Amino acid sequence: MIRTRPGLPSLTLYGAIDVALVIVFVLIGRASHSENLLGTLSTLWPFVAGLAVGWIATRAWRDPVSIAWIGVGVWVSTVVVGMLLRVLSGQGVQTSFVVVATIVLGVFLLGWRWIAMIVLRRRARENTPAA
């Protein structure tokens, strides 16, 4: 496993990637329902809150590219907390929506980490002096 130990600029970028992908997920879903900005924001906030809970619970800032614990924890938290907040705020939580959200957010939140790990490994190999 590659430990990134990111500085503040990298950490901000990694957090922004997660937030951007949650926004993309919501925009794709809302576009299929022809929603306005207020509808989009009402769908977005529970998932962003779930994402924040996931970052805090997993202490994602320590190794934000890790898939095994951090990526999975952030993904699960985003879905579970997001759905719970939707229920508490009176928004719909149909089974099909839960399934789609789980799959799409999993692909997004784990997928970028997988790509980043590949890139970081290649960079590490390229920067290792030949013996």
Side-chain angles (χ1 to χ4, degrees), residues 24-119:
V24 168
F25 158 72
V26 169
L27 289 175
I28 291 169
R30 297 319 300 177
S32 68
H33 297 289
S34 301
E35 285 290 326
N36 60 20
L37 179 61
L38 187 57
T40 300
L41 293 176
S42 70
T43 302
L44 178 63
W45 78 263
F47 293 106
V48 171
L51 179 70
V53 168
W55 264 73
I56 293 166
T58 63
R59 299 189 301 183
W61 56 87
R62 298 175 112 197
D63 190 15
V65 178
S66 171
I67 293 174
W69 296 109
I70 293 170
V72 170
V74 168
W75 166 44
V76 170
S77 176
T78 302
V79 174
V80 172
V81 173
M83 292 301 172
L84 288 173
L85 289 173
R86 283 179 60 84
V87 168
L88 292 173
S89 65
Q91 298 183 49
V93 183
Q94 293 77 19
T95 302
S96 59
F97 177 60
V98 174
V99 170
V100 169
T102 301
I103 292 169
V104 172
L105 287 169
V107 169
F108 283 3
L109 297 175
L110 299 177
W112 82 258
R113 286 174 167 85
W114 179 71
I115 293 167
M117 283 180 56
I118 291 170
V119 169

